[in-house]
Amino acid sequence: MSEDRILSWHSAPSKPRFTPPPGAIDAHCHVFGPMAQFPFSAKAKYLPQDAGPDKLFALRDHLGFARNVIVQASCHGTDNAATLHAIAVSEGKARGVAVVDPAISEEELHKLHEGGMRGIRFNFLKRLVDDAPKDKFIEVARRLPAGWHVVIYFEADILEELRPFMDAIPVPLVIDHMGRPDVSQGPDGADMKAFRKLLDSRDDIWFKATCPDRLDPAGPPWDDFARSVAPLVADYSDRVIWGTDWPHPNMQDAIPDDGSLVDMIPRIAPTQELQRKLLVTNPTLLYWPEEMGTGS
Ligand code: 0GY
């Protein structure tokens, strides 16, 4: 294995003190490769070491989770084979979010649905993708299979610029990592205020209360993240989901202990009712809606 391939995950994460409720879903994680079977995209902006489904599912069990939502990582471009493979070998315990060429046919979208995908992701981070064509994204968002949603990944400084684009998407939106606010500003800071305004503009915008490791430069125990995010989870408790972000793409310098990430959950969702919504009810509604009797 080449030394140039990035290792971004903790080799021996601690056992969390917090026990997730039965049926808990890690709703934001990825797989990388294995490269020999699923080569990375020629356009990949990072070249990670293999982090396949066996490792992901071992971590799921170690952390006390029941299921995963696997988000296609940018290093695999628009070839979803690695993610589909992971879903296929999960024994029904994973579903996914795809990244597609906006020119994808209805037939291919249907195949992705059959393979367990329930949404597509639009990535606006310049360090991860070469282009993000808004008009083409809107076009494909208009012809997604029934029940699908769009996941959007952007940084706080382009939230306002993206508002007309997001307004034009006719299916539910799920915002990765809350649009990466500066959590050192606190719960009433400009970034959190702008994000709340976005959530208030539509009742079908969901978000991931994820990635203290990415959003809180002070590092563990991620106090700024906890104090900024807890009020958001309390105020929008029916629209928030959670995930580890394993294998933490690109996090070479501050690789988080996944057990410590799980121990953040009671700090942002202090009651059992909030924990159930965050980890079970809300992600089930998005990814296994047939279990809620609301769709397929
Ligand atoms: C994340 C964040 C990142 C990477 C990706 O698809 C990806 O490569 O999502 C990042 O580098 O910020 O959510 O996994």
Side-chain angles (χ1 to χ4, degrees):
M1 191 176 286
S2 157
E3 277 126 31
D4 296 327
R5 293 179 63 188
I6 295 172
L7 182 73
S8 54
W9 62 93
H10 201 289
S11 59
S14 62
K15 190 87 184 160
R17 289 182 301 276
F18 172 69
T19 305
I25 298 171
D26 174 353
H28 184 91
C29 51
H30 315 275
V31 288
F32 299 151
M35 188 170 83
Q37 208 179 343
F38 305 106
F40 298 110
S41 163
K43 294 180 182 169
K45 302 290 183 242
Y46 59 94
L47 196 59
Q49 293 199 22
D50 289 341
D54 47 343
K55 286 195 177 75
L56 176 63
F57 301 150
L59 180 78
R60 174 199 67 200
D61 295 345
H62 174 76
L63 297 177
F65 281 73
R67 299 196 280 204
N68 297 103
V69 177
I70 308 175
V71 178
Q72 165 83 351
S74 63
C75 56
H76 279 295
T78 56
D79 179 349
N80 292 279
T83 304
L84 287 167
H85 166 74
I87 295 169
V89 298
S90 74
E91 299 175 336
K93 294 181 187 166
R95 281 192 171 162
V97 173
V99 174
V100 301
D101 179 334
I104 187 169
S105 68
E106 259 74 56
E107 194 188 338
E108 286 170 289
L109 283 168
H110 178 72
K111 273 194 207 143
L112 291 175
H113 186 91
E114 294 290 298
M117 298 295 190
R118 292 295 180 268
I120 55 172
R121 188 188 202 202
F122 299 148
N123 189 335
F124 285 90
L125 265 68
K126 292 197 172 71
R127 67 177 166 79
L128 293 174
V129 290
D130 292 330
D131 58 343
K134 294 194 191 91
D135 46 348
K136 291 183 182 163
F137 283 170
I138 291 169
E139 193 279 321
V140 67
R142 289 194 177 125
R143 51 189 182 84
L144 295 177
W148 280 35
H149 59 270
V150 160
V151 173
I152 307 189
Y153 190 21
F154 61 85
E155 289 175 319
D157 61 341
I158 64 162
L159 191 161
E160 281 313 313
E161 179 195 322
L162 286 183
R163 284 294 299 272
F165 164 74
M166 289 193 270
D167 290 348
I169 293 181
V171 294
L173 301 176
V174 180
I175 312 296
D176 274 342
H177 321 327
M178 301 162 288
R180 298 191 60 122
D182 176 352
V183 295
S184 72
Q185 295 172 353
D188 302 317
D191 286 358
M192 275 300 178
K193 274 195 178 137
F195 191 62
R196 280 171 178 265
K197 215 167 126 197
L198 173 70
L199 294 176
D200 291 340
S201 72
R202 269 167 70 165
D203 60 12
D204 63 348
I205 302 184
W206 304 60
F207 63 98
K208 298 178 187 171
T210 35
C211 290
D213 48 310
R214 292 185 193 279
L215 302 183
D216 191 340
W222 302 306
D223 290 335
D224 281 340
F225 181 92
R227 78 187 170 96
S228 295
V229 173
L232 200 68
V233 173
D235 291 346
Y236 299 89
S237 63
D238 292 327
R239 302 199 245 158
V240 58
I241 61 178
W242 185 91
T244 53
D245 185 40
W246 190 90
H248 315 290
N250 290 310
M251 291 297 288
Q252 293 173 82
D253 297 328
I255 294 174
D257 171 356
D258 300 280
S260 303
L261 289 174
V262 173
D263 282 331
M264 280 298 289
I265 292 170
R267 297 181 67 199
I268 59 168
T271 67
Q272 283 189 356
E273 189 195 348
L274 283 173
Q275 291 158 11
R276 265 201 69 77
K277 286 183 176 187
L278 178 72
L279 301 172
V280 184
T281 315
N282 296 346
T284 304
L285 276 164
L286 281 172
Y287 293 99
W288 282 271
E290 70 276 13
E291 294 179 7
M292 312 290 289
T294 57
S296 61

